[in-house]
Amino acid sequence: MIRKTDRIYVAGHRGMVGSACVRALNAIGCENIVARTHKSLDLLDPRAVREFYAEEKPDIAIIAAAKVGGIGANSAGNAEFLYQNEMIAMNTVMGAYEAGVKRLLFLGSTCIYPRMAPQPIPESALLTSPLEKTNEGYALAKISGLKLCEFLRRDKGVCYHSLMPTNLYGTGDNYDIVGGHVLPTMIRKFETARVNGDAAVPLWGTGTPLREFLHVDDLAAACLFVLSLDNPPDLVNVGSGSEITIRELAEKVKAATGCPAEIAWDATKPDGTPRKLCDTSLIRSLGWSPKISLDEGLARTVAEYRESVANGTVRT
Ligand code: GFB
């Protein structure tokens, strides 16, 4: 149970997920948020992280800090994705344990599951067959983090547990054309083509892969939900429960932005994993379900993107 007086450390509070968690916590009256910018605390430095925890002594930690990116960034940088995310996970989780933090939520991604996992993917599919190569580094680091939480819980009795969200989008996303995830990248590409009057919008791969999308505000609600459980499962998936092909997504974004340009598929770019729908029956059985449909979330995100372009605050 989260109390209004709890000191809650949100690692990655300026990122899309961390900032959504801070908004959700503030909305339920939790104002005692502990946060550090990247500049003031290097999460790759174990000593600095240890000193931070000793000084701040939070009651709860939400680990939303990570080096993240879309298929382009991941496939070009598996070494950095593995190294940085491994260090962040080990330092933030072990540092919390050493400082006596009683409750911790570790956030990962459904790319921890095998490339050819059964669909929808149950939590039990973890480590049953090989990973998708384009994001193997990121996945391995996230698996280490969730396992560290599981081991500390089992062996030391602290309530450390993990949430694995499907592909996320929404407020505060990164609109980098090369390194970003598909949904924000598509919004930027279609918006740019509309404004410039371009005839075609280049998109990656074949358009046939299936993906599931969850608005980040739904994820933040899920974080608070699992943190409110006295005995949460070690590992819980969170997703919208419905999937869409990349081609269908492109048509939706094209319509949402009102861009008349044609779509030009570049099959030399990777498709990544063919399908990634998570089985959300566990979190639904516990009493949580998503509230924001893709159409609603997309409309909201396009409006926010236009606003951030107009006022010069768009993240790229
Ligand atoms: O979101 P995304 O980059 O990553 O791409 P993943 C999803 C799909 O969209 C792939 C296609 O099939 C891409 O080929 N796609 C089409 C595009 N056009 C574009 C485009 O312009 N940009 C991008 N980025 N994709 C990531 C992992 O996998 O998912 C991370 O790399 C993480 O580790 C994240 O798990 C949630 O869904 O393939």
Side-chain angles (χ1 to χ4, degrees):
M1 185 52 78
I2 305 176
R3 292 163 305 181
K4 286 186 183 169
T5 50
D6 281 335
R7 287 172 63 69
I8 306 173
Y9 171 44
V10 180
H13 71 291
R14 282 185 167 174
M16 178 172 73
V17 171
S19 57
C21 288
V22 172
R23 286 195 301 276
L25 286 164
N26 289 163
I28 60 164
C30 294
E31 302 287 348
N32 211 347
I33 308 293
V34 179
R36 288 289 188 281
T37 60
H38 189 79
K39 247 190 185 160
S40 64
L41 175 63
D42 179 6
L43 295 178
L44 304 187
D45 178 350
R47 188 190 297 177
V49 175
R50 220 174 271 137
E51 283 170 8
F52 155 75
Y53 275 121
E55 187 187 318
E56 291 289 357
K57 297 206 176 311
D59 300 296
I60 299 173
I62 300 176
I63 309 304
K67 176 178 172 58
V68 297
I71 194 166
N74 269 271
S75 52
N78 268 292
E80 292 82 6
F81 275 82
L82 171 59
Y83 173 71
Q84 292 191 27
N85 287 307
E86 186 79 32
M87 295 298 280
I88 293 170
M90 295 300 109
N91 293 339
T92 55
V93 176
M94 206 62 196
Y97 170 69
E98 287 169 0
V101 176
K102 299 271 184 311
R103 184 92 188 220
L104 181 145
L105 177 64
F106 180 73
L107 288 157
S109 154
T110 50
C111 71
I112 60 160
Y113 293 115
R115 172 179 167 81
M116 299 313 281
Q119 304 284 332
I121 313 171
E123 288 84 356
S124 59
L126 183 69
L127 294 173
T128 51
S129 62
L131 296 165
E132 156 65 26
K133 288 289 176 207
T134 51
N135 53 36
E136 197 176 11
Y138 183 73
L140 286 168
K142 289 297 181 183
I143 293 170
S144 296
L146 78 89
K147 282 290 172 190
L148 182 57
C149 292
E150 191 183 311
F151 298 153
L152 287 169
R153 186 174 186 180
R154 189 185 66 198
D155 300 340
K156 313 285 184 188
V158 287
C159 190
Y160 288 13
H161 53 114
S162 305
L163 200 54
M164 292 301 130
T166 193
N167 287 33
L168 299 168
Y169 71 98
T171 312
D173 212 338
N174 175 5
Y175 289 87
D176 176 12
I177 293 278
V178 180
H181 289 103
V182 60
L183 197 149
T185 307
M186 278 185 182
I187 292 177
R188 184 168 171 200
K189 284 182 175 177
F190 280 109
E191 272 293 277
T192 306
R194 185 182 62 80
V195 171
N196 294 347
D198 297 338
V201 168
L203 294 179
W204 294 357
T206 59
T208 57
L210 285 152
R211 292 289 185 275
E212 177 189 20
F213 294 93
L214 183 73
H215 193 279
V216 72
D217 286 348
D218 269 338
L219 171 67
C223 290
L224 269 50
F225 173 76
V226 291
L227 279 169
S228 74
L229 301 174
D230 286 336
N231 189 22
D234 283 331
L235 172 60
V236 179
N237 287 341
V238 55
S240 62
S242 51
E243 59 186 342
I244 179 171
T245 64
I246 294 299
R247 192 175 290 272
E248 287 164 337
L249 178 73
E251 292 299 338
K252 269 190 192 295
V253 178
K254 182 172 145 80
T257 55
C259 175
E262 294 297 313
I263 300 167
W265 294 99
D266 177 359
T268 65
K269 292 283 195 300
D271 269 342
T273 196
R275 199 177 168 197
K276 196 165 49 167
L277 174 67
C278 63
D279 182 343
T280 51
S281 49
L282 177 57
I283 195 165
R284 284 174 189 267
S285 74
L286 294 168
W288 181 87
S289 57
K291 303 273 180 292
I292 306 168
S293 70
L294 180 55
D295 287 337
E296 181 196 339
L298 184 56
R300 202 204 285 184
T301 307
V302 169
E304 287 172 352
Y305 173 76
R306 286 177 177 162
E307 206 180 303
S308 64
V309 169
N311 62 27
T313 58
V314 67
R315 271 179 71 206
T316 56

